[in-house]
Amino acid sequence: MKLKESLVEFPNARGKLLRGMIHQPAGVRGAQPGVIFFHGFTGDRLESHWIFIKCARALAREGIASLRFDFYGSGESEGTFYEATLQSEIADARAAVRLMQQQNGIDAARLGICGLSLGGCVAACIAPAAKARALVLWSAVAHPAILQNLSKD
């Protein structure tokens, strides 16, 4: 099956540009389910060994669209990494879900979320409000309060 990959830019809650890639199966009729990927701490939309790219392309071959994007201050998105917080990443994740819900050819009622490491914590935090139909927590942070305590030292 042919794949379509499109670069996207969209604003976060503070009006800063986030950049990502939407993967879709080409030539599929009707609305497709979708997955949004949230990368880990110090990661980006590629992730180690290109695991997000490989997974997004495999999903597209099975008829499932996906969005990989860089959180504010990561990868090609605007901002600097030291300004990013757990709360800002949650807000960025909400913006990514809204973008995916508004895409032509995407079934907004059939969206899943996949978060790696800190992205797993973000995914768990927004899944209920995003009405995610599926949730994958890939090596997720289990106790975000510990992160806040470490950052105070």
PDB file of all heavy atoms in Angstrom, residues 36-44 47 52 69 71 74 85-86 89-90 93-94 113-127 135-142 144 147:
ATOM      1  N   ILE A  36      -1.817   9.301  17.631  1.00  0.00           N
ATOM      2  CA  ILE A  36      -0.933  10.430  17.883  1.00  0.00           C
ATOM      3  C   ILE A  36       0.187   9.934  18.784  1.00  0.00           C
ATOM      4  O   ILE A  36      -0.071   9.314  19.817  1.00  0.00           O
ATOM      5  CB  ILE A  36      -1.683  11.600  18.543  1.00  0.00           C
ATOM      6  CG1 ILE A  36      -2.853  12.036  17.660  1.00  0.00           C
ATOM      7  CG2 ILE A  36      -0.744  12.778  18.757  1.00  0.00           C
ATOM      8  CD1 ILE A  36      -4.133  12.140  18.388  1.00  0.00           C
ATOM      9  N   PHE A  37       1.435  10.202  18.373  1.00  0.00           N
ATOM     10  CA  PHE A  37       2.612   9.782  19.126  1.00  0.00           C
ATOM     11  C   PHE A  37       3.148  10.934  19.974  1.00  0.00           C
ATOM     12  O   PHE A  37       3.300  12.049  19.470  1.00  0.00           O
ATOM     13  CB  PHE A  37       3.734   9.341  18.170  1.00  0.00           C
ATOM     14  CG  PHE A  37       3.460   8.060  17.462  1.00  0.00           C
ATOM     15  CD1 PHE A  37       2.928   8.062  16.179  1.00  0.00           C
ATOM     16  CD2 PHE A  37       3.753   6.842  18.048  1.00  0.00           C
ATOM     17  CE1 PHE A  37       2.698   6.884  15.498  1.00  0.00           C
ATOM     18  CE2 PHE A  37       3.517   5.650  17.379  1.00  0.00           C
ATOM     19  CZ  PHE A  37       2.989   5.671  16.104  1.00  0.00           C
ATOM     20  N   PHE A  38       3.478  10.660  21.233  1.00  0.00           N
ATOM     21  CA  PHE A  38       4.101  11.633  22.135  1.00  0.00           C
ATOM     22  C   PHE A  38       5.484  11.104  22.515  1.00  0.00           C
ATOM     23  O   PHE A  38       5.595  10.043  23.126  1.00  0.00           O
ATOM     24  CB  PHE A  38       3.266  11.829  23.397  1.00  0.00           C
ATOM     25  CG  PHE A  38       1.850  12.276  23.147  1.00  0.00           C
ATOM     26  CD1 PHE A  38       0.834  11.842  23.967  1.00  0.00           C
ATOM     27  CD2 PHE A  38       1.522  13.125  22.104  1.00  0.00           C
ATOM     28  CE1 PHE A  38      -0.478  12.245  23.763  1.00  0.00           C
ATOM     29  CE2 PHE A  38       0.215  13.532  21.883  1.00  0.00           C
ATOM     30  CZ  PHE A  38      -0.787  13.094  22.722  1.00  0.00           C
ATOM     31  N   HIS A  39       6.507  11.865  22.159  1.00  0.00           N
ATOM     32  CA  HIS A  39       7.880  11.417  22.413  1.00  0.00           C
ATOM     33  C   HIS A  39       8.283  11.613  23.874  1.00  0.00           C
ATOM     34  O   HIS A  39       7.595  12.264  24.652  1.00  0.00           O
ATOM     35  CB  HIS A  39       8.863  12.101  21.459  1.00  0.00           C
ATOM     36  CG  HIS A  39       9.007  13.586  21.644  1.00  0.00           C
ATOM     37  ND1 HIS A  39       9.704  14.140  22.682  1.00  0.00           N
ATOM     38  CD2 HIS A  39       8.552  14.619  20.895  1.00  0.00           C
ATOM     39  CE1 HIS A  39       9.691  15.454  22.570  1.00  0.00           C
ATOM     40  NE2 HIS A  39       8.983  15.771  21.488  1.00  0.00           N
ATOM     41  N   GLY A  40       9.425  11.060  24.208  1.00  0.00           N
ATOM     42  CA  GLY A  40       9.923  11.099  25.574  1.00  0.00           C
ATOM     43  C   GLY A  40      10.780  12.319  25.883  1.00  0.00           C
ATOM     44  O   GLY A  40      11.076  13.146  25.017  1.00  0.00           O
ATOM     45  N   PHE A  41      11.190  12.405  27.127  1.00  0.00           N
ATOM     46  CA  PHE A  41      12.050  13.468  27.643  1.00  0.00           C
ATOM     47  C   PHE A  41      13.346  13.490  26.833  1.00  0.00           C
ATOM     48  O   PHE A  41      13.979  12.456  26.657  1.00  0.00           O
ATOM     49  CB  PHE A  41      12.335  13.201  29.130  1.00  0.00           C
ATOM     50  CG  PHE A  41      13.084  14.278  29.823  1.00  0.00           C
ATOM     51  CD1 PHE A  41      12.477  15.483  30.109  1.00  0.00           C
ATOM     52  CD2 PHE A  41      14.394  14.077  30.214  1.00  0.00           C
ATOM     53  CE1 PHE A  41      13.164  16.480  30.778  1.00  0.00           C
ATOM     54  CE2 PHE A  41      15.087  15.060  30.881  1.00  0.00           C
ATOM     55  CZ  PHE A  41      14.483  16.275  31.156  1.00  0.00           C
ATOM     56  N   THR A  42      13.724  14.634  26.340  1.00  0.00           N
ATOM     57  CA  THR A  42      14.878  14.877  25.466  1.00  0.00           C
ATOM     58  C   THR A  42      14.747  14.195  24.109  1.00  0.00           C
ATOM     59  O   THR A  42      15.679  14.229  23.313  1.00  0.00           O
ATOM     60  CB  THR A  42      16.248  14.498  26.091  1.00  0.00           C
ATOM     61  OG1 THR A  42      16.388  13.084  26.146  1.00  0.00           O
ATOM     62  CG2 THR A  42      16.435  15.121  27.462  1.00  0.00           C
ATOM     63  N   GLY A  43      13.595  13.608  23.804  1.00  0.00           N
ATOM     64  CA  GLY A  43      13.385  12.952  22.515  1.00  0.00           C
ATOM     65  C   GLY A  43      12.828  13.910  21.487  1.00  0.00           C
ATOM     66  O   GLY A  43      12.788  15.132  21.681  1.00  0.00           O
ATOM     67  N   ASP A  44      12.394  13.337  20.379  1.00  0.00           N
ATOM     68  CA  ASP A  44      11.739  14.104  19.331  1.00  0.00           C
ATOM     69  C   ASP A  44      10.838  13.163  18.543  1.00  0.00           C
ATOM     70  O   ASP A  44      10.699  12.001  18.896  1.00  0.00           O
ATOM     71  CB  ASP A  44      12.746  14.812  18.415  1.00  0.00           C
ATOM     72  CG  ASP A  44      13.724  13.874  17.741  1.00  0.00           C
ATOM     73  OD1 ASP A  44      13.362  12.723  17.435  1.00  0.00           O
ATOM     74  OD2 ASP A  44      14.872  14.291  17.502  1.00  0.00           O
ATOM     75  N   GLU A  47      12.373   9.614  17.565  1.00  0.00           N
ATOM     76  CA  GLU A  47      12.749   8.728  18.666  1.00  0.00           C
ATOM     77  C   GLU A  47      13.919   7.831  18.265  1.00  0.00           C
ATOM     78  O   GLU A  47      14.310   7.774  17.111  1.00  0.00           O
ATOM     79  CB  GLU A  47      11.558   7.921  19.196  1.00  0.00           C
ATOM     80  CG  GLU A  47      10.747   8.673  20.229  1.00  0.00           C
ATOM     81  CD  GLU A  47      11.504   9.120  21.480  1.00  0.00           C
ATOM     82  OE1 GLU A  47      12.648   8.691  21.733  1.00  0.00           O
ATOM     83  OE2 GLU A  47      10.935   9.923  22.239  1.00  0.00           O
ATOM     84  N   PHE A  52       9.444   5.695  16.057  1.00  0.00           N
ATOM     85  CA  PHE A  52       8.155   6.307  15.741  1.00  0.00           C
ATOM     86  C   PHE A  52       7.917   6.321  14.234  1.00  0.00           C
ATOM     87  O   PHE A  52       6.787   6.136  13.777  1.00  0.00           O
ATOM     88  CB  PHE A  52       8.060   7.723  16.303  1.00  0.00           C
ATOM     89  CG  PHE A  52       7.669   7.792  17.764  1.00  0.00           C
ATOM     90  CD1 PHE A  52       7.501   6.660  18.542  1.00  0.00           C
ATOM     91  CD2 PHE A  52       7.468   9.017  18.366  1.00  0.00           C
ATOM     92  CE1 PHE A  52       7.136   6.733  19.880  1.00  0.00           C
ATOM     93  CE2 PHE A  52       7.092   9.114  19.701  1.00  0.00           C
ATOM     94  CZ  PHE A  52       6.933   7.975  20.459  1.00  0.00           C
ATOM     95  N   PHE A  69       4.928  14.413  16.304  1.00  0.00           N
ATOM     96  CA  PHE A  69       5.280  15.834  16.376  1.00  0.00           C
ATOM     97  C   PHE A  69       6.302  16.048  17.481  1.00  0.00           C
ATOM     98  O   PHE A  69       6.495  15.200  18.351  1.00  0.00           O
ATOM     99  CB  PHE A  69       4.030  16.699  16.608  1.00  0.00           C
ATOM    100  CG  PHE A  69       3.515  16.651  18.015  1.00  0.00           C
ATOM    101  CD1 PHE A  69       3.814  17.666  18.912  1.00  0.00           C
ATOM    102  CD2 PHE A  69       2.747  15.583  18.451  1.00  0.00           C
ATOM    103  CE1 PHE A  69       3.352  17.621  20.223  1.00  0.00           C
ATOM    104  CE2 PHE A  69       2.276  15.526  19.755  1.00  0.00           C
ATOM    105  CZ  PHE A  69       2.581  16.548  20.642  1.00  0.00           C
ATOM    106  N   PHE A  71       7.359  18.191  20.721  1.00  0.00           N
ATOM    107  CA  PHE A  71       6.870  19.094  21.756  1.00  0.00           C
ATOM    108  C   PHE A  71       7.638  20.419  21.681  1.00  0.00           C
ATOM    109  O   PHE A  71       8.749  20.485  21.130  1.00  0.00           O
ATOM    110  CB  PHE A  71       7.072  18.487  23.148  1.00  0.00           C
ATOM    111  CG  PHE A  71       6.094  17.395  23.498  1.00  0.00           C
ATOM    112  CD1 PHE A  71       6.524  16.085  23.655  1.00  0.00           C
ATOM    113  CD2 PHE A  71       4.748  17.677  23.691  1.00  0.00           C
ATOM    114  CE1 PHE A  71       5.638  15.076  23.996  1.00  0.00           C
ATOM    115  CE2 PHE A  71       3.851  16.674  24.039  1.00  0.00           C
ATOM    116  CZ  PHE A  71       4.301  15.372  24.186  1.00  0.00           C
ATOM    117  N   SER A  74      11.582  21.005  21.553  1.00  0.00           N
ATOM    118  CA  SER A  74      12.217  19.757  21.106  1.00  0.00           C
ATOM    119  C   SER A  74      12.233  19.693  19.586  1.00  0.00           C
ATOM    120  O   SER A  74      11.367  20.279  18.926  1.00  0.00           O
ATOM    121  CB  SER A  74      11.462  18.537  21.641  1.00  0.00           C
ATOM    122  OG  SER A  74      11.550  18.467  23.045  1.00  0.00           O
ATOM    123  N   THR A  85       7.786  22.207  30.208  1.00  0.00           N
ATOM    124  CA  THR A  85       7.375  21.602  31.476  1.00  0.00           C
ATOM    125  C   THR A  85       6.387  20.473  31.179  1.00  0.00           C
ATOM    126  O   THR A  85       5.899  20.361  30.047  1.00  0.00           O
ATOM    127  CB  THR A  85       6.671  22.631  32.387  1.00  0.00           C
ATOM    128  OG1 THR A  85       5.437  23.026  31.748  1.00  0.00           O
ATOM    129  CG2 THR A  85       7.543  23.850  32.654  1.00  0.00           C
ATOM    130  N   LEU A  86       6.085  19.696  32.180  1.00  0.00           N
ATOM    131  CA  LEU A  86       5.076  18.663  32.005  1.00  0.00           C
ATOM    132  C   LEU A  86       3.748  19.301  31.590  1.00  0.00           C
ATOM    133  O   LEU A  86       3.072  18.823  30.683  1.00  0.00           O
ATOM    134  CB  LEU A  86       4.908  17.834  33.279  1.00  0.00           C
ATOM    135  CG  LEU A  86       3.837  16.747  33.250  1.00  0.00           C
ATOM    136  CD1 LEU A  86       4.097  15.739  32.133  1.00  0.00           C
ATOM    137  CD2 LEU A  86       3.766  16.043  34.601  1.00  0.00           C
ATOM    138  N   GLU A  89       3.813  20.343  27.959  1.00  0.00           N
ATOM    139  CA  GLU A  89       3.701  19.189  27.059  1.00  0.00           C
ATOM    140  C   GLU A  89       2.266  18.659  27.027  1.00  0.00           C
ATOM    141  O   GLU A  89       1.795  18.230  25.974  1.00  0.00           O
ATOM    142  CB  GLU A  89       4.698  18.098  27.456  1.00  0.00           C
ATOM    143  CG  GLU A  89       6.122  18.511  27.139  1.00  0.00           C
ATOM    144  CD  GLU A  89       7.119  17.379  27.130  1.00  0.00           C
ATOM    145  OE1 GLU A  89       6.739  16.210  27.368  1.00  0.00           O
ATOM    146  OE2 GLU A  89       8.305  17.666  26.869  1.00  0.00           O
ATOM    147  N   ILE A  90       1.570  18.706  28.135  1.00  0.00           N
ATOM    148  CA  ILE A  90       0.161  18.309  28.142  1.00  0.00           C
ATOM    149  C   ILE A  90      -0.646  19.250  27.243  1.00  0.00           C
ATOM    150  O   ILE A  90      -1.484  18.806  26.454  1.00  0.00           O
ATOM    151  CB  ILE A  90      -0.387  18.265  29.584  1.00  0.00           C
ATOM    152  CG1 ILE A  90       0.231  17.069  30.331  1.00  0.00           C
ATOM    153  CG2 ILE A  90      -1.912  18.208  29.601  1.00  0.00           C
ATOM    154  CD1 ILE A  90      -0.045  17.054  31.829  1.00  0.00           C
ATOM    155  N   ALA A  93       0.106  18.411  23.693  1.00  0.00           N
ATOM    156  CA  ALA A  93      -0.576  17.163  23.324  1.00  0.00           C
ATOM    157  C   ALA A  93      -2.039  17.438  22.978  1.00  0.00           C
ATOM    158  O   ALA A  93      -2.574  16.878  22.015  1.00  0.00           O
ATOM    159  CB  ALA A  93      -0.467  16.149  24.458  1.00  0.00           C
ATOM    160  N   ARG A  94      -2.681  18.293  23.735  1.00  0.00           N
ATOM    161  CA  ARG A  94      -4.073  18.655  23.437  1.00  0.00           C
ATOM    162  C   ARG A  94      -4.180  19.317  22.064  1.00  0.00           C
ATOM    163  O   ARG A  94      -5.107  19.042  21.296  1.00  0.00           O
ATOM    164  CB  ARG A  94      -4.625  19.568  24.525  1.00  0.00           C
ATOM    165  CG  ARG A  94      -4.871  18.868  25.830  1.00  0.00           C
ATOM    166  CD  ARG A  94      -5.491  19.810  26.855  1.00  0.00           C
ATOM    167  NE  ARG A  94      -5.679  19.115  28.117  1.00  0.00           N
ATOM    168  CZ  ARG A  94      -5.236  19.558  29.286  1.00  0.00           C
ATOM    169  NH1 ARG A  94      -4.602  20.723  29.377  1.00  0.00           N
ATOM    170  NH2 ARG A  94      -5.444  18.860  30.393  1.00  0.00           N
ATOM    171  N   ILE A 113      -3.755   6.982  21.222  1.00  0.00           N
ATOM    172  CA  ILE A 113      -2.607   7.759  21.673  1.00  0.00           C
ATOM    173  C   ILE A 113      -1.512   6.785  22.088  1.00  0.00           C
ATOM    174  O   ILE A 113      -1.783   5.800  22.768  1.00  0.00           O
ATOM    175  CB  ILE A 113      -2.989   8.666  22.859  1.00  0.00           C
ATOM    176  CG1 ILE A 113      -4.032   9.695  22.424  1.00  0.00           C
ATOM    177  CG2 ILE A 113      -1.762   9.345  23.433  1.00  0.00           C
ATOM    178  CD1 ILE A 113      -4.603  10.509  23.570  1.00  0.00           C
ATOM    179  N   CYS A 114      -0.281   7.102  21.676  1.00  0.00           N
ATOM    180  CA  CYS A 114       0.885   6.305  22.054  1.00  0.00           C
ATOM    181  C   CYS A 114       1.933   7.234  22.635  1.00  0.00           C
ATOM    182  O   CYS A 114       2.397   8.142  21.958  1.00  0.00           O
ATOM    183  CB  CYS A 114       1.447   5.567  20.833  1.00  0.00           C
ATOM    184  SG  CYS A 114       2.946   4.625  21.184  1.00  0.00           S
ATOM    185  N   GLY A 115       2.293   7.012  23.901  1.00  0.00           N
ATOM    186  CA  GLY A 115       3.304   7.838  24.544  1.00  0.00           C
ATOM    187  C   GLY A 115       4.480   7.021  25.019  1.00  0.00           C
ATOM    188  O   GLY A 115       4.309   5.973  25.640  1.00  0.00           O
ATOM    189  N   LEU A 116       5.680   7.510  24.724  1.00  0.00           N
ATOM    190  CA  LEU A 116       6.924   6.855  25.124  1.00  0.00           C
ATOM    191  C   LEU A 116       7.571   7.639  26.264  1.00  0.00           C
ATOM    192  O   LEU A 116       7.688   8.860  26.183  1.00  0.00           O
ATOM    193  CB  LEU A 116       7.882   6.795  23.928  1.00  0.00           C
ATOM    194  CG  LEU A 116       9.277   6.253  24.196  1.00  0.00           C
ATOM    195  CD1 LEU A 116       9.215   4.752  24.464  1.00  0.00           C
ATOM    196  CD2 LEU A 116      10.206   6.536  23.042  1.00  0.00           C
ATOM    197  N   SER A 117       7.960   6.942  27.324  1.00  0.00           N
ATOM    198  CA  SER A 117       8.662   7.543  28.444  1.00  0.00           C
ATOM    199  C   SER A 117       7.813   8.685  29.034  1.00  0.00           C
ATOM    200  O   SER A 117       6.664   8.463  29.399  1.00  0.00           O
ATOM    201  CB  SER A 117      10.043   8.012  27.985  1.00  0.00           C
ATOM    202  OG  SER A 117      10.811   8.465  29.064  1.00  0.00           O
ATOM    203  N   LEU A 118       8.347   9.909  29.103  1.00  0.00           N
ATOM    204  CA  LEU A 118       7.550  11.022  29.622  1.00  0.00           C
ATOM    205  C   LEU A 118       6.320  11.258  28.759  1.00  0.00           C
ATOM    206  O   LEU A 118       5.269  11.658  29.255  1.00  0.00           O
ATOM    207  CB  LEU A 118       8.388  12.298  29.718  1.00  0.00           C
ATOM    208  CG  LEU A 118       7.692  13.507  30.335  1.00  0.00           C
ATOM    209  CD1 LEU A 118       7.210  13.215  31.749  1.00  0.00           C
ATOM    210  CD2 LEU A 118       8.595  14.718  30.311  1.00  0.00           C
ATOM    211  N   GLY A 119       6.422  10.973  27.470  1.00  0.00           N
ATOM    212  CA  GLY A 119       5.253  11.065  26.588  1.00  0.00           C
ATOM    213  C   GLY A 119       4.144  10.119  27.018  1.00  0.00           C
ATOM    214  O   GLY A 119       2.965  10.380  26.783  1.00  0.00           O
ATOM    215  N   GLY A 120       4.504   9.016  27.680  1.00  0.00           N
ATOM    216  CA  GLY A 120       3.499   8.105  28.226  1.00  0.00           C
ATOM    217  C   GLY A 120       2.736   8.744  29.361  1.00  0.00           C
ATOM    218  O   GLY A 120       1.518   8.563  29.488  1.00  0.00           O
ATOM    219  N   CYS A 121       3.432   9.497  30.187  1.00  0.00           N
ATOM    220  CA  CYS A 121       2.765  10.237  31.264  1.00  0.00           C
ATOM    221  C   CYS A 121       1.810  11.263  30.669  1.00  0.00           C
ATOM    222  O   CYS A 121       0.657  11.373  31.093  1.00  0.00           O
ATOM    223  CB  CYS A 121       3.811  10.918  32.141  1.00  0.00           C
ATOM    224  SG  CYS A 121       3.120  11.942  33.448  1.00  0.00           S
ATOM    225  N   VAL A 122       2.272  11.987  29.661  1.00  0.00           N
ATOM    226  CA  VAL A 122       1.432  12.977  28.980  1.00  0.00           C
ATOM    227  C   VAL A 122       0.202  12.289  28.383  1.00  0.00           C
ATOM    228  O   VAL A 122      -0.924  12.761  28.530  1.00  0.00           O
ATOM    229  CB  VAL A 122       2.243  13.721  27.895  1.00  0.00           C
ATOM    230  CG1 VAL A 122       1.340  14.607  27.043  1.00  0.00           C
ATOM    231  CG2 VAL A 122       3.368  14.528  28.524  1.00  0.00           C
ATOM    232  N   ALA A 123       0.420  11.161  27.721  1.00  0.00           N
ATOM    233  CA  ALA A 123      -0.680  10.417  27.100  1.00  0.00           C
ATOM    234  C   ALA A 123      -1.717  10.001  28.140  1.00  0.00           C
ATOM    235  O   ALA A 123      -2.927  10.147  27.912  1.00  0.00           O
ATOM    236  CB  ALA A 123      -0.137   9.189  26.373  1.00  0.00           C
ATOM    237  N   ALA A 124      -1.259   9.490  29.271  1.00  0.00           N
ATOM    238  CA  ALA A 124      -2.183   9.062  30.324  1.00  0.00           C
ATOM    239  C   ALA A 124      -2.973  10.246  30.877  1.00  0.00           C
ATOM    240  O   ALA A 124      -4.153  10.105  31.210  1.00  0.00           O
ATOM    241  CB  ALA A 124      -1.416   8.362  31.439  1.00  0.00           C
ATOM    242  N   CYS A 125      -2.343  11.401  30.947  1.00  0.00           N
ATOM    243  CA  CYS A 125      -3.016  12.589  31.480  1.00  0.00           C
ATOM    244  C   CYS A 125      -4.117  13.105  30.557  1.00  0.00           C
ATOM    245  O   CYS A 125      -5.135  13.600  31.038  1.00  0.00           O
ATOM    246  CB  CYS A 125      -1.997  13.706  31.726  1.00  0.00           C
ATOM    247  SG  CYS A 125      -0.900  13.400  33.125  1.00  0.00           S
ATOM    248  N   ILE A 126      -3.930  13.003  29.241  1.00  0.00           N
ATOM    249  CA  ILE A 126      -4.926  13.591  28.334  1.00  0.00           C
ATOM    250  C   ILE A 126      -5.901  12.583  27.736  1.00  0.00           C
ATOM    251  O   ILE A 126      -6.884  12.981  27.139  1.00  0.00           O
ATOM    252  CB  ILE A 126      -4.265  14.395  27.204  1.00  0.00           C
ATOM    253  CG1 ILE A 126      -3.600  13.493  26.183  1.00  0.00           C
ATOM    254  CG2 ILE A 126      -3.307  15.438  27.733  1.00  0.00           C
ATOM    255  CD1 ILE A 126      -3.609  14.088  24.816  1.00  0.00           C
ATOM    256  N   ALA A 127      -5.623  11.298  27.874  1.00  0.00           N
ATOM    257  CA  ALA A 127      -6.452  10.279  27.212  1.00  0.00           C
ATOM    258  C   ALA A 127      -7.949  10.416  27.517  1.00  0.00           C
ATOM    259  O   ALA A 127      -8.764  10.351  26.588  1.00  0.00           O
ATOM    260  CB  ALA A 127      -5.953   8.880  27.543  1.00  0.00           C
ATOM    261  N   LEU A 135      -4.982   3.430  24.091  1.00  0.00           N
ATOM    262  CA  LEU A 135      -3.899   4.108  24.795  1.00  0.00           C
ATOM    263  C   LEU A 135      -2.740   3.142  24.951  1.00  0.00           C
ATOM    264  O   LEU A 135      -2.910   2.046  25.488  1.00  0.00           O
ATOM    265  CB  LEU A 135      -4.386   4.588  26.168  1.00  0.00           C
ATOM    266  CG  LEU A 135      -3.356   5.226  27.089  1.00  0.00           C
ATOM    267  CD1 LEU A 135      -2.794   6.511  26.484  1.00  0.00           C
ATOM    268  CD2 LEU A 135      -3.992   5.516  28.456  1.00  0.00           C
ATOM    269  N   VAL A 136      -1.570   3.547  24.454  1.00  0.00           N
ATOM    270  CA  VAL A 136      -0.354   2.748  24.604  1.00  0.00           C
ATOM    271  C   VAL A 136       0.625   3.555  25.428  1.00  0.00           C
ATOM    272  O   VAL A 136       0.991   4.674  25.062  1.00  0.00           O
ATOM    273  CB  VAL A 136       0.277   2.412  23.231  1.00  0.00           C
ATOM    274  CG1 VAL A 136       1.608   1.685  23.417  1.00  0.00           C
ATOM    275  CG2 VAL A 136      -0.683   1.595  22.396  1.00  0.00           C
ATOM    276  N   LEU A 137       1.034   2.994  26.564  1.00  0.00           N
ATOM    277  CA  LEU A 137       2.035   3.622  27.422  1.00  0.00           C
ATOM    278  C   LEU A 137       3.310   2.800  27.272  1.00  0.00           C
ATOM    279  O   LEU A 137       3.428   1.714  27.830  1.00  0.00           O
ATOM    280  CB  LEU A 137       1.552   3.650  28.875  1.00  0.00           C
ATOM    281  CG  LEU A 137       0.196   4.313  29.096  1.00  0.00           C
ATOM    282  CD1 LEU A 137      -0.185   4.261  30.565  1.00  0.00           C
ATOM    283  CD2 LEU A 137       0.195   5.742  28.577  1.00  0.00           C
ATOM    284  N   TRP A 138       4.254   3.328  26.524  1.00  0.00           N
ATOM    285  CA  TRP A 138       5.458   2.620  26.114  1.00  0.00           C
ATOM    286  C   TRP A 138       6.595   3.069  27.023  1.00  0.00           C
ATOM    287  O   TRP A 138       7.097   4.172  26.898  1.00  0.00           O
ATOM    288  CB  TRP A 138       5.740   2.990  24.672  1.00  0.00           C
ATOM    289  CG  TRP A 138       6.686   2.181  23.881  1.00  0.00           C
ATOM    290  CD1 TRP A 138       7.583   1.268  24.305  1.00  0.00           C
ATOM    291  CD2 TRP A 138       6.843   2.253  22.461  1.00  0.00           C
ATOM    292  NE1 TRP A 138       8.287   0.764  23.247  1.00  0.00           N
ATOM    293  CE2 TRP A 138       7.840   1.345  22.106  1.00  0.00           C
ATOM    294  CE3 TRP A 138       6.217   3.001  21.459  1.00  0.00           C
ATOM    295  CZ2 TRP A 138       8.253   1.172  20.787  1.00  0.00           C
ATOM    296  CZ3 TRP A 138       6.621   2.815  20.161  1.00  0.00           C
ATOM    297  CH2 TRP A 138       7.632   1.912  19.829  1.00  0.00           C
ATOM    298  N   SER A 139       6.979   2.227  27.976  1.00  0.00           N
ATOM    299  CA  SER A 139       8.028   2.557  28.962  1.00  0.00           C
ATOM    300  C   SER A 139       7.710   3.893  29.636  1.00  0.00           C
ATOM    301  O   SER A 139       8.569   4.773  29.748  1.00  0.00           O
ATOM    302  CB  SER A 139       9.405   2.605  28.311  1.00  0.00           C
ATOM    303  OG  SER A 139       9.753   1.362  27.776  1.00  0.00           O
ATOM    304  N   ALA A 140       6.494   4.056  30.069  1.00  0.00           N
ATOM    305  CA  ALA A 140       6.013   5.343  30.569  1.00  0.00           C
ATOM    306  C   ALA A 140       6.528   5.666  31.967  1.00  0.00           C
ATOM    307  O   ALA A 140       6.799   4.775  32.772  1.00  0.00           O
ATOM    308  CB  ALA A 140       4.486   5.351  30.589  1.00  0.00           C
ATOM    309  N   VAL A 141       6.622   6.966  32.239  1.00  0.00           N
ATOM    310  CA  VAL A 141       6.903   7.457  33.579  1.00  0.00           C
ATOM    311  C   VAL A 141       5.705   7.092  34.441  1.00  0.00           C
ATOM    312  O   VAL A 141       4.564   7.393  34.090  1.00  0.00           O
ATOM    313  CB  VAL A 141       7.107   8.987  33.561  1.00  0.00           C
ATOM    314  CG1 VAL A 141       7.185   9.549  34.962  1.00  0.00           C
ATOM    315  CG2 VAL A 141       8.346   9.340  32.761  1.00  0.00           C
ATOM    316  N   ALA A 142       5.962   6.447  35.574  1.00  0.00           N
ATOM    317  CA  ALA A 142       4.865   5.990  36.418  1.00  0.00           C
ATOM    318  C   ALA A 142       4.509   6.979  37.522  1.00  0.00           C
ATOM    319  O   ALA A 142       3.371   7.033  37.967  1.00  0.00           O
ATOM    320  CB  ALA A 142       5.213   4.636  37.035  1.00  0.00           C
ATOM    321  N   PRO A 144       4.938  10.855  38.083  1.00  0.00           N
ATOM    322  CA  PRO A 144       5.411  12.181  37.672  1.00  0.00           C
ATOM    323  C   PRO A 144       5.746  13.097  38.850  1.00  0.00           C
ATOM    324  O   PRO A 144       6.566  13.993  38.702  1.00  0.00           O
ATOM    325  CB  PRO A 144       4.254  12.741  36.840  1.00  0.00           C
ATOM    326  CG  PRO A 144       3.073  11.922  37.196  1.00  0.00           C
ATOM    327  CD  PRO A 144       3.584  10.584  37.636  1.00  0.00           C
ATOM    328  N   LEU A 147       9.363  13.364  39.435  1.00  0.00           N
ATOM    329  CA  LEU A 147      10.058  14.268  38.518  1.00  0.00           C
ATOM    330  C   LEU A 147      10.037  15.692  39.059  1.00  0.00           C
ATOM    331  O   LEU A 147      11.025  16.405  38.992  1.00  0.00           O
ATOM    332  CB  LEU A 147       9.423  14.236  37.134  1.00  0.00           C
ATOM    333  CG  LEU A 147       9.547  12.953  36.348  1.00  0.00           C
ATOM    334  CD1 LEU A 147       8.754  13.051  35.054  1.00  0.00           C
ATOM    335  CD2 LEU A 147      10.983  12.616  36.074  1.00  0.00           C
TER     336      LEU A 147
END
